């Protein structure tokens, strides 16, 4: 295994050659904001919250899908990056219907945490107020598309960990949305095993346990970590 030496925010660090900039930064205790990234499933580089500056390149690079290289000089928290990230979070708030005060995930939401981290005290863009559906046809879970940020974490855990591939993406541009099976109500899905992995993977209050009231929807990410370890190390055999 080859080890690469690089600097992040002036701090000299070493990383395995197969690591991403995000993994190397996390190993070194350096925080980079993320939203679509979820440890244990594939990276898609969709949300762009993890953008970093790499010396010699004018283009900002997403840390979650950029591999480390020898001699890289990375900045993770410049003024330029802070401005970009705040704008991205504001766009996410403006394009959906995120009314935190009445959301099941109020206080337990990664989008809300990011807004706080970016110092987003208001949204400078016009709200779109899209007309989106809520599907509560499943016995135990519901999805409110108004709160979906299209991170595809549900799609990936369902496919890569549970192996059910119930979730998928449909539509383009502002019409993009997640669907279950062949765009049918979740409750009629033939593939869903009701495992709840998508519920725990969702960063917002979009997928929730039915019966949750305001602020009651807590995500148990530890459950996902356990499942990934079990799959990769076959630990359920012991
Ligand atoms: S409950 Fe499990 S099987 Fe059903 S959609 Fe969610 S992750 Fe897939
Ligand atoms: S439902 Fe949740 S996990 Fe799935 S894409 Fe939307 S925000 Fe992401
Ligand atoms: S966390 Fe890297 S692009 Fe979303």
């Amino acid at each position: 295994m080859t080890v690469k030496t690089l600097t992040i925010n002036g701090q000299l660090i070493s990383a395995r050659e197969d690591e991403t900039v995000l993994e190397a930064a996390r190993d070194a205790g350096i925080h980079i904001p993320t939203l679509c990234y979820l440890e244990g499933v594939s990276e898609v580089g969709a949300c762009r919250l993890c953008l970093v500056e790499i010396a010699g390149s004018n283009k900002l690079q997403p840390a979650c899908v950029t591999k480390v290289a020898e001699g890289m000089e990375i900045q993770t928290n410049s003024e330029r990056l802070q401005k970009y990230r705040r704008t991205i979070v504001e766009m996410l708030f403006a394009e959906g219907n995120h009314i935190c005060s009445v959301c099941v995930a109020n206080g337990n939401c990664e989008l809300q945490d990011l807004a706080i981290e970016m110092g987003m005290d208001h949204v400078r863009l016009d709200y779109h107020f899209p007309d989106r559906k809520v599907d509560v046809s499943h016995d135990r879970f519901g999805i409110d598309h108004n709160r979906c940020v299209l991170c595809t974490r549900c799609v990936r855990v369902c496919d890569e960990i549970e192996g059910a591939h119930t979730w998928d993406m449909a539509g383009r541009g502002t019409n993009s949305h997640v669907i279950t099976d062949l765009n049918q109500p979740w409750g009629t899905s033939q593939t869903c095993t009701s495992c709840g992995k998508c519920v725990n993977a969702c960063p917002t209050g979009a997928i929730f346990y039915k019966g949750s009231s305001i602020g009651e929807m807590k995500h148990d990410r530890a459950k996902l970590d356990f499942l990934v370890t079990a799959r990769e190390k076959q630990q359920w055999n012991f």
Side-chain angles (χ1 to χ4, degrees):
M1 180 195 65
T2 316
V3 171
K4 305 286 181 193
T5 308
L6 55 149
T7 63
I8 302 185
N9 301 341
Q11 183 181 329
L12 191 63
I13 65 159
S14 51
R16 291 192 322 273
E17 64 175 342
D18 61 345
E19 275 191 305
T20 61
V21 170
L22 178 66
E23 288 165 338
R26 288 196 171 175
D27 286 349
I30 298 166
H31 171 70
I32 299 176
T34 57
L35 186 60
C36 66
Y37 176 81
L38 184 67
E39 194 176 356
V41 291
S42 58
E43 300 89 9
V44 288
C47 73
R48 313 315 260 188
L49 255 305
C50 68
L51 288 175
V52 293
E53 290 175 348
I54 299 177
S57 165
N58 281 334
K59 216 173 139 206
L60 300 175
Q61 305 289 347
C64 68
V65 289
T66 304
K67 294 275 190 235
V68 293
E70 184 64 33
M72 256 182 175
E73 291 172 31
I74 300 162
Q75 288 296 328
T76 67
N77 207 21
S78 64
E79 205 174 309
R80 178 185 176 207
L81 289 170
Q82 287 173 20
K83 278 188 189 159
Y84 267 102
R85 290 182 187 137
R86 175 167 172 172
T87 304
I88 292 168
V89 175
E90 286 185 32
M91 286 163 75
L92 289 171
F93 269 85
E95 62 134 41
N97 290 309
H98 298 279
I99 317 294
C100 299
S101 56
V102 292
C103 178
V104 286
N106 190 11
N108 306 297
C109 172
E110 290 179 43
L111 182 65
Q112 197 178 44
D113 291 345
L114 283 166
I116 294 165
E117 183 182 339
M118 304 308 148
M120 194 192 87
D121 48 7
H122 67 289
V123 174
R124 292 164 294 178
L125 307 160
D126 290 336
Y127 282 92
H128 289 197
F129 297 120
D131 182 11
R132 294 192 191 160
K133 293 194 178 112
V134 179
D135 177 358
V136 287
S137 57
H138 193 286
D139 283 348
R140 295 172 54 205
F141 318 127
I143 174 161
D144 183 342
H145 291 274
N146 294 289
R147 303 176 187 141
C148 176
V149 291
L150 299 175
C151 67
T152 71
R153 279 162 54 157
C154 54
V155 177
R156 285 174 282 147
V157 290
C158 185
D159 181 30
E160 297 171 22
I161 302 184
E162 179 61 7
H165 199 113
T166 301
W167 292 105
D168 215 329
M169 296 292 297
R172 303 184 69 176
T174 53
N175 288 323
S176 298
H177 56 285
V178 288
I179 55 166
T180 40
D181 281 359
L182 297 171
N183 201 6
Q184 63 201 64
W186 191 358
T188 66
S189 165
Q190 299 288 307
T191 57
C192 177
T193 61
S194 301
C195 68
K197 291 184 181 68
C198 54
V199 189
N200 284 311
C202 183
T204 68
I207 305 185
F208 53 89
Y209 291 111
K210 277 169 96 169
S212 306
S213 184
I214 296 167
E216 284 184 355
M217 182 51 226
K218 297 203 169 64
H219 302 96
D220 188 358
R221 309 267 190 258
K223 219 174 223 174
L224 295 173
D225 285 350
F226 163 75
L227 290 160
V228 173
T229 313
R231 181 192 59 182
E232 287 177 354
K233 300 189 179 166
Q234 306 282 304
Q235 281 182 351
W236 56 76
N237 291 333
F238 301 103

